């Protein structure tokens, strides 16, 4: 291997102006390595594991090394504060990227000599107390990015007001709060202001923002601002193009219908609001004057009125329109012209009614995400979906749709998620249905019938299949094992019958199975014990990385994390009493359970089931199972809910079950068990007689029946329970899941974030984002998901 030194010596002959070294450097390097590269203007050492750059006797100025350097990227390394003695001397530097070096401390004296610096990125560093108050020394600064910077204590933000040359300021997630200081009006060149995820408050119509008429991009999401919905105080901001204000408090205010229209033309407006500050009323007037929109997110405000088709008609470039959770009623009015660019439309959770327009496909020929769920649409599923060949997600659930799923659906070759639950659909699934990308199918709560659909036979991409609450019948086909990615299989409340095929056990990704309320008979296949529940699957990542449109926005050095689109994560319910198991998104995939209740299963419970050490829910109730409870059940270390009630189980209850410290719901009632109930220790101290009722031969606490002539040990005092075993057993499962979700989320975000802050992209112009998204999507899917799977499921 050629050493770095040799490589760089070779470079000297070419006299490069730009040098990029990636994923190679480790620890310290000496500045001497760059000796001779006198023409170097740009040096990119990002994403290495560099700790420091050693200077020659502290005077690189004399030696002239890197004297011409203007652009230095040291982001995403491991730098410590020794780097400052190197940086101090780079007097010609204009752009310095130090973001993603979490060991770095920003002290202002270190920057004193860098008088010509224009662009400084210090995301993730710790800022010293002198930093903001003295920041005025950066007299040429244009772009300052302090995202995620830790502050030793909250510093007054006023210091920033003196940066007269500032064009872009990003203080996302720095913990600032209070009202915005008025001195910000002095930042007359400010084009981009990102103060997302802080604790700022106050009415923005009475804030310095109304004077910052040079603003092009205003990002104030996730603060405590009050936002008057008329937006009239911003009508003179003629340059404003992007406004992100998710989850602030919206205020209704007086519209002045004779006012001059706004001078801005927005391309992005995000005002969606999940919780507070809902307003009720019609769409604000300024929307009628916009014709450049690409993204409009107005979910959750409770707008009333008809579907705003004019918003589409007026904005032919629209790519994303999100209007979910409003009170929009009437029929779905389509724009009179074709919306070639619309890729994502969410009108879920409104009061829309009537037929789905037959020409919806010709109006929106490029649609990828269509969510019309939870409305009052009725009639047949429109045959015009046939032409929506670009669709990835189609959600029509919770409407009043009826009639068969027509062979039109067979044309949707690229469909990945098909949600038709809670309608009145009838008939059989057409056998031609064969989208080879389909991953999630939800047909629950319809009136579909016929055998297990043969159409699914070769759809090995299916991860979630929900056929519950229909009238399907017949056996589970033995080809079920061709669905090798299947993770969720819901067949409950149908008329399925026959044996549970052992081929099911080949599905190594299965995490949730609900076969309850069918007519399955025969015994439980022992191989079910081979499931390796407890991994996660890649579906999640696909849910997270959703489409975000291109913005023809030309501010450089700009990247935004809103690409991750949380609302797409959908809830799946797994019915279990006493526990809240309708986990959303992330946690769901860490959750596993088997419900075989209300069937006609016979024979013993295979001891192999005890191998399911990651399973949370087992429900074999209401069958005809015989034999004893396997002692191996004490290995079900994650079990939270165990229901074996209404069977013919006999023999003694294995005393080791008391080692199931996670158990919260336990039901052995209505069997023929005998002997003594388990000791009332740990979780078992919480179970009442209802857990054991209907077993006439069973005795001991909490049952009223005493065991004959036996000494029964007194129940453990509660204090002991709460004391010694707290750590191992009495984990608050909610907290556990939340923290688990939290850390998992952090991993996912970290992965995504790494992609996002990759400096090449960071410097890229916005029109590259689509390319980026596509490639990062495939990057994540190809490089992360599949190896992880391979690893976990080998
Ligand atoms: C920074 O890291 C280098 C190399 O590991 C080490 O020699 C130096 O002492 C460190 N300096 C500081 C200020 O931590
Ligand atoms: C900055 O703005 C404040 C008003 O908020 C004003 O009093 C002050 O003079 C301004 N400073 C400069 C340097 O213009
Ligand atoms: C916008 O500018 C016009 C003319 O300068 C002025 O009359 C009006 O009050 C301004 N509107 C706002 C909201 O500042
Ligand atoms: C937008 O649509 C409305 C309603 O059709 C119309 O009154 C308005 O003039 C249109 N605005 C633009 C900018 O086209
Ligand atoms: C087991 O399933 C049956 C039928 O679905 C249900 O009634 C019962 O509540 C379930 N048991 C538990 C503990 O959730
Ligand atoms: C219950 O189990 C006992 C043996 O423990 C057996 O003698 C009896 O016949 C069983 N009763 C029923 C109803 O199966």
């Amino acid at each position: 291997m050629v050493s770095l030194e040799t490589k760089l010596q070779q470079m000297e002959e070419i006299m490069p102006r730009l040098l990029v070294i990636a994923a190679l450097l480790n620890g310290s390097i000496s500045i001497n390595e760059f000796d001779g590269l006198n023409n170097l203007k740009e040096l990119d050492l990002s994403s290495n594991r560099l700790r420091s750059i050693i200077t020659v006797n502290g005077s690189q100025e004399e030696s002239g090394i890197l004297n011409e350097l203007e652009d230095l990227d040291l982001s995403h390394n491991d730098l410590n504060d020794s780097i400052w003695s190197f940086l101090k001397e780079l007097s010609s530097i204009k752009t310095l990227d130090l973001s993603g070096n979490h060991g770095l401390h920003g002290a202002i004296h270190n920057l004193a000599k860098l008088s010509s610096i224009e662009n400084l990125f210090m995301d993730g560093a710790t800022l010293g107390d002198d930093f903001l108050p003295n920041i005025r020394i950066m007299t040429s600064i244009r772009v300052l990015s302090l995202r995620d910077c830790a502050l030793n204590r909250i510093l007054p933000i006023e210091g920033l007001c003196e940066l007269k040359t500032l064009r872009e300021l990003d203080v996302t997630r720095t913990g600032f709060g209070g009202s915005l200081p008025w001195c910000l009006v002095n930042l007359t060149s400010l084009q981009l202001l990102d103060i997302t995820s802080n604790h700022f408050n106050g009415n923005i119509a009475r804030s310095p923002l109304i004077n910052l008429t040079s603003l092009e991009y205003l990002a104030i999401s996730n603060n405590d601002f009050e936002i008057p919905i008329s937006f009239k105080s911003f009508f003179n901001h003629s340059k404003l193009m992007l406004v992100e204000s998710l989850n602030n408090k919206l205020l209704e205010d007086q519209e002045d219908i004779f006012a001059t229209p706004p001078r801005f033309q927005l391309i992005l407006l995000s005002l969606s609001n999940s919780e507070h500050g809902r307003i009720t009323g019609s769409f604000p007037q300024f929307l009628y004057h916009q014709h450049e929109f690409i993204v409009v997110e107005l979910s959750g405000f409770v707008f009333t009125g008809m579907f705003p088709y004019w918003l589409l008609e007026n904005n032919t470039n629209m790519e994303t329109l999100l209007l979910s959770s409003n009170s929009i009623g009437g029929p779905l009015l389509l724009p009179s012209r074709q919306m070639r660019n619309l890729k994502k439309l969410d009108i879920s959770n409104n009061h829309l009614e009537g037929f789905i327009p037959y020409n919806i496909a010709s109006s929106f020929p490029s649609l990828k995400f269509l969510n019309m769920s939870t409305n009052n649409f009725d009639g047949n599923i429109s045959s015009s979906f046939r032409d929506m060949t670009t669709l990835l997600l189609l959600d029509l659930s919770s409407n009043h749709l009826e009639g068969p799923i027509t062979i039109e659906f067979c044309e949707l070759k690229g469909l990945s998620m098909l949600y038709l639950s809670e309608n009145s659909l009838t008939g059989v699934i057409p056998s031609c249905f064969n989208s080879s990308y389909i991953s999630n199918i939800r047909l629950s709560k319809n009136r579909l019938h016929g055998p297990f659909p043969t159409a699914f036979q070769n759809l090995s991409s299916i991860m979630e299949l929900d056929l519950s609450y229909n009238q399907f019948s017949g056996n589970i086909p033995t080809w079920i094992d061709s669905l090798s990615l299947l993770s969720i299989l819901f067949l409950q409340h149908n008329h399925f019958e026959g044996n549970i095929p052992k081929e099911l056990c080949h599905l190594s990704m299965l995490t949730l199975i609900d076969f309850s309320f069918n007519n399955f008979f025969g015994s439980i296949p022992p191989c079910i014990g081979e499931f390796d529940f407890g991994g996660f699957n890649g579906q999640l990542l696909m849910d997270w990385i959703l489409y975000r449109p291109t913005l023809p926005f030309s501010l450089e050095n700009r990247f935004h994390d809103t690409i991750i689109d949380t609302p797409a994560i959908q809830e799946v319910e797994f019915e279990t009493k006493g526990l809240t198991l309708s986990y959303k998104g992330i946690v769901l995939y860490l959750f596993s359970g088997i419900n075989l209740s209300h069937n006609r299963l016979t024979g013993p419970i295979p001891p192999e089931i005890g191998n399911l050490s990651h399973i949370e829910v087992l429900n074999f109730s209401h069958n005809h199972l015989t034999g004893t409870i396997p002692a191996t059940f004490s290995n079900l270390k994650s079990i939270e809910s165990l229901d074996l009630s209404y069977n013919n189980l006999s023999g003694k209850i294995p005393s080791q079950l008391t080692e199931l410290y996670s158990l919260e719901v336990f039901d052995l009632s209505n069997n023929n068990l005998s002997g003594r109930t388990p000791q009332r220790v740990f979780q078992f101290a919480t179970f009442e007689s209802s857990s054991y009722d209907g077993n006439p031969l069973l005795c001991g606490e909490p049952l009223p029946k005493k065991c004959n002539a036996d000494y029964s040990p007194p129940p453990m005092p509660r204090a002991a329970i709460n004391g010694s075993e707290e750590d191992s057993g009495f984990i608050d499962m909610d907290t556990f899941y939340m923290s688990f979700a939290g850390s998992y989320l952090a991993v996912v975000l970290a992965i995504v974030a790494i992609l996002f802050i990759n400096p090449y992209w960071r410097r890229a112009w916005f029109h590259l984002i689509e390319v980026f998204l596509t490639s990062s999507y495939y990057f994540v899917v190809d490089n992360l998901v599949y190896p992880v799977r391979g690893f976990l499921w080998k």
Side-chain angles (χ1 to χ4, degrees):
M1 212 179 100
V2 191
S3 72
L4 177 65
E5 206 173 344
T6 332
K7 254 289 183 256
L8 289 176
Q9 273 162 12
Q10 290 165 357
M11 302 289 288
E12 283 171 30
E13 289 158 26
I14 334 172
M15 294 287 229
R17 291 168 58 88
L18 163 68
L19 180 61
V20 181
I21 305 175
L24 185 69
L25 307 174
N26 203 341
S28 323
I29 56 168
S30 164
I31 179 150
N32 283 340
E33 309 265 16
F34 302 103
D35 196 6
L37 296 172
N38 291 336
N39 277 15
L40 211 56
K41 296 256 191 257
E42 290 179 47
L43 179 59
D44 181 348
L45 303 178
S46 64
S47 304
N48 285 288
R49 277 184 292 160
L50 219 49
R51 272 191 83 71
S52 59
I53 297 179
I54 300 163
T55 51
V56 217
N57 306 327
S59 77
Q60 71 225 42
E61 213 163 6
E62 281 165 35
S63 61
I65 305 176
L66 299 180
N67 249 358
E68 302 269 301
L69 202 62
E70 291 180 359
D71 187 336
L72 176 61
D73 189 344
L74 291 171
S75 64
H76 301 283
N77 279 291
D78 231 347
L79 297 175
N80 67 18
D81 289 331
S82 70
I83 196 70
W84 291 114
S85 56
F86 160 72
L87 294 175
K88 268 182 190 172
E89 312 295 333
L90 299 176
S91 50
S92 57
I93 205 89
K94 290 201 162 66
T95 299
L96 178 59
D97 193 341
L98 296 172
S99 53
N101 286 286
H102 294 275
L104 216 54
H105 295 78
I108 202 72
H109 61 90
N110 288 324
L111 293 161
K113 281 201 191 168
L114 305 180
S115 55
S116 57
I117 199 157
E118 293 178 1
N119 308 304
L120 178 64
F121 303 87
M122 294 197 43
D123 305 355
T126 303
L127 300 185
D129 282 1
D130 69 343
F131 192 88
L132 289 181
N134 296 310
I135 202 163
R136 79 176 77 86
I137 64 166
M138 291 191 224
T139 49
S140 313
I141 193 90
R142 289 155 165 258
V143 175
L144 180 62
S145 184
L146 302 175
R147 286 173 90 89
D148 296 294
C149 276
L151 305 165
N152 288 328
R153 53 198 173 84
I154 294 301
L155 303 166
I157 198 171
E158 276 81 357
L160 294 169
C161 298
E162 299 183 40
L163 302 177
K164 290 255 154 68
T165 49
L166 205 59
R167 296 196 180 165
E168 300 181 24
L169 175 63
D170 187 340
V171 292
T172 296
R173 273 187 303 271
T174 24
F176 288 118
S179 50
L180 288 172
W182 269 101
C183 68
L184 285 174
V185 301
N186 293 341
L187 297 181
T188 48
S189 311
L190 204 61
Q191 296 171 343
L192 181 152
L193 178 63
D194 191 342
I195 54 176
T196 300
S197 298
N198 284 291
H199 309 292
F200 289 115
N201 56 29
N203 185 326
I204 59 161
R206 293 195 291 272
S207 78
L209 298 178
I210 60 171
N211 296 48
L212 294 176
T213 48
S214 55
L215 278 178
E216 297 175 22
Y217 195 145
L218 178 62
I220 58 175
S221 295
N222 303 323
N223 280 285
D224 302 318
F225 286 119
E226 293 172 344
I227 317 283
I229 190 63
S230 76
F231 259 81
K232 60 188 175 199
S233 354
F234 290 86
F235 277 15
N236 283 344
H237 287 53
S238 59
K239 296 179 177 151
L240 199 58
M241 286 193 281
L242 297 96
V243 176
E244 288 179 33
S245 173
L246 301 172
N247 300 317
N248 283 301
K249 187 173 184 204
L250 298 163
L251 298 179
E252 260 167 290
D253 63 340
Q254 203 71 45
E255 300 257 18
D256 181 359
I257 39 171
F258 300 112
T260 44
R263 294 176 63 197
F264 54 71
Q265 279 300 332
L266 300 182
I267 58 178
L268 177 143
L269 178 65
S270 293
L271 293 178
S272 296
N273 198 312
S274 52
E275 288 132 38
H276 47 244
R278 291 180 160 215
I279 59 159
T280 35
S282 44
F283 290 93
Q285 290 295 316
F286 77 88
L287 290 178
Y288 289 89
H289 300 284
Q290 302 298 300
H291 51 74
E292 300 289 339
F293 271 135
I294 293 176
V295 181
V296 175
E297 300 183 25
L298 301 174
S299 295
F301 291 32
V302 196
F303 281 132
T304 52
M306 306 286 274
F307 177 73
Y309 68 94
W310 47 267
L311 202 52
L312 291 167
E313 266 173 6
N314 286 358
N315 296 277
T316 48
N317 292 331
M318 189 83 86
E319 293 187 16
T320 294
L321 178 59
L322 307 183
L323 294 171
S324 104
S325 304
N326 285 295
S327 294
I328 300 169
L332 177 58
L333 303 171
L334 294 178
S336 57
R337 57 170 88 165
Q338 198 176 47
M339 299 298 301
R340 294 212 145 271
N341 296 306
L342 194 70
K343 301 206 170 64
K344 187 168 179 181
L345 178 64
D346 187 347
I347 51 174
S348 62
N349 203 9
N350 280 290
H351 307 307
L352 291 161
E353 61 191 22
F355 293 160
I356 296 173
Y358 70 94
N359 51 346
I360 187 166
S362 48
S363 293
F364 307 134
S366 313
L367 216 51
K368 292 186 177 175
F369 296 85
L370 177 59
N371 189 347
M372 300 172 64
S373 65
T374 320
N375 279 289
N376 300 321
F377 289 113
D378 54 27
N380 284 348
I381 293 193
S382 167
S383 59
S384 76
F385 285 117
R386 179 185 53 198
D387 301 321
M388 287 198 160
T389 47
T390 51
L391 271 185
L392 291 178
L393 177 146
L394 177 61
D395 191 347
L396 301 175
S397 49
S398 301
N399 280 289
H400 308 302
L401 300 170
E402 56 194 22
I405 299 176
T406 50
I407 55 163
E408 274 82 76
F409 272 82
C410 300
E411 304 291 321
L412 300 178
K413 301 265 188 243
L415 204 61
S416 175
M417 296 167 224
L418 177 64
Y419 301 149
L420 301 177
S421 297
E422 298 191 51
N423 282 289
S424 304
L425 302 173
T426 52
V428 297
I429 310 289
S431 60
C432 56
F433 184 83
N434 72 347
S435 164
S436 48
Y437 300 100
I438 194 91
S439 63
N440 302 61
I441 301 179
R442 298 184 188 170
L443 302 175
S444 173
K445 298 188 179 153
N446 281 290
R447 285 186 271 133
L448 300 165
H449 67 92
F452 195 99
T454 51
F456 300 153
Q457 176 155 6
N458 292 313
L459 303 184
S460 59
S461 53
I462 301 180
M463 295 177 169
E464 177 189 358
L465 181 57
D466 185 355
L467 303 179
S468 63
Y469 295 91
N470 279 290
Q471 289 149 22
F472 289 107
S473 56
N475 293 0
I476 298 181
T478 52
W479 53 254
I480 189 84
D481 60 359
S482 66
L483 308 183
S484 54
L485 297 182
L486 201 61
S487 169
I488 296 174
L489 181 58
F490 287 168
L491 303 180
Q492 68 267 32
H493 292 270
N494 278 289
H495 308 308
F496 286 112
E497 58 185 16
N499 289 303
I500 297 174
K502 61 179 187 312
E503 284 77 7
L504 196 69
C505 308
H506 301 162
L507 299 177
S508 59
M509 303 283 284
L510 273 181
T511 56
L512 288 177
I513 303 172
D514 194 339
F515 292 175
S516 63
F517 293 93
N518 280 287
N519 295 314
F520 291 111
F521 52 75
S523 51
I524 300 174
C527 64
I528 284 192
E530 291 162 18
F531 283 137
D532 178 22
F533 293 132
F536 75 94
N537 79 39
Q539 168 64 27
L540 183 61
L541 288 169
M542 300 197 196
D543 272 356
W544 276 83
I545 303 168
L546 273 192
Y547 179 75
R548 187 79 179 189
T550 51
L551 299 175
F553 188 60
S554 58
L555 282 183
E556 260 185 296
N557 303 323
R558 183 65 197 153
F559 214 94
H560 224 261
D561 56 2
T562 43
I563 288 168
I564 298 173
D565 219 319
T566 42
I569 292 191
Q570 306 234 355
E571 204 165 351
V572 170
E573 282 180 29
F574 189 69
E575 292 158 31
T576 303
K577 78 175 171 202
L579 292 171
T580 320
L581 297 181
S582 77
Y583 291 120
K584 279 197 178 181
I586 285 169
V587 181
L588 177 76
Y589 296 96
L590 299 171
F591 180 76
S592 59
I594 300 179
N595 188 349
L596 302 179
S597 66
H598 282 277
N599 280 288
R600 294 190 280 131
L601 298 169
T602 52
I605 300 176
E608 289 83 352
I609 301 290
N611 296 339
L612 300 174
S613 56
H614 293 292
I615 201 164
E616 275 98 0
V617 174
L618 265 188
N619 191 341
F620 293 165
S621 69
H622 294 273
N623 279 290
H624 309 299
L625 300 172
T626 52
T628 57
I629 299 173
T632 56
F633 268 36
S634 61
N635 298 326
L636 301 172
K637 294 298 180 203
S638 309
I639 196 105
E640 291 173 44
S641 172
L642 178 61
D643 190 348
L644 303 176
S645 64
Y646 292 94
N647 279 290
N648 297 330
L649 299 171
S650 56
K652 294 206 159 71
I653 302 173
S655 58
Q656 306 93 309
L657 290 190
T658 53
E659 292 162 23
L660 301 177
Y661 304 124
S662 313
L663 200 56
E664 288 178 36
V665 183
F666 179 60
D667 196 347
L668 299 182
S669 66
N670 300 297
N671 278 287
N672 186 21
L673 297 163
S674 55
R676 180 183 296 286
T677 55
Q679 258 194 317
R680 304 208 74 209
V681 293
F682 313 136
Q683 286 301 82
F684 279 71
T686 64
F687 302 138
E688 315 206 334
S689 66
S690 58
S691 294
Y692 306 105
D693 283 346
N695 290 284
L697 303 180
L698 210 54
C699 63
E701 297 236 25
L703 290 170
K705 184 176 168 189
K706 294 228 160 39
C707 294
N708 280 346
D710 264 356
Y711 166 73
S712 102
M716 264 221 178
R718 192 74 211 178
I721 294 165
N722 290 339
S724 61
E725 280 303 327
E726 179 121 74
D727 294 341
S728 57
F730 287 78
I731 303 171
D732 175 342
M733 287 318 280
D734 282 351
T735 323
F736 171 73
Y737 280 123
M738 291 327 290
S739 62
F740 208 144
S743 55
Y744 183 57
L745 182 63
V747 174
V748 176
L749 289 184
I751 294 159
V752 176
I754 288 164
L755 295 167
F756 287 179
I757 38 203
N758 179 311
Y760 302 108
W761 291 111
R762 186 183 176 128
R763 299 272 161 79
W765 294 59
F766 253 88
H767 70 258
L768 284 177
I769 288 181
E770 181 154 39
V771 181
F772 161 75
L773 257 188
T774 320
S775 62
S776 71
Y777 176 87
Y778 287 114
F779 171 85
V780 172
V781 171
D782 288 342
N783 296 339
L784 183 77
V785 178
Y786 291 110
V788 167
R789 269 188 202 155
F791 174 73
L792 284 174
W793 303 101
K794 223 175 350 210

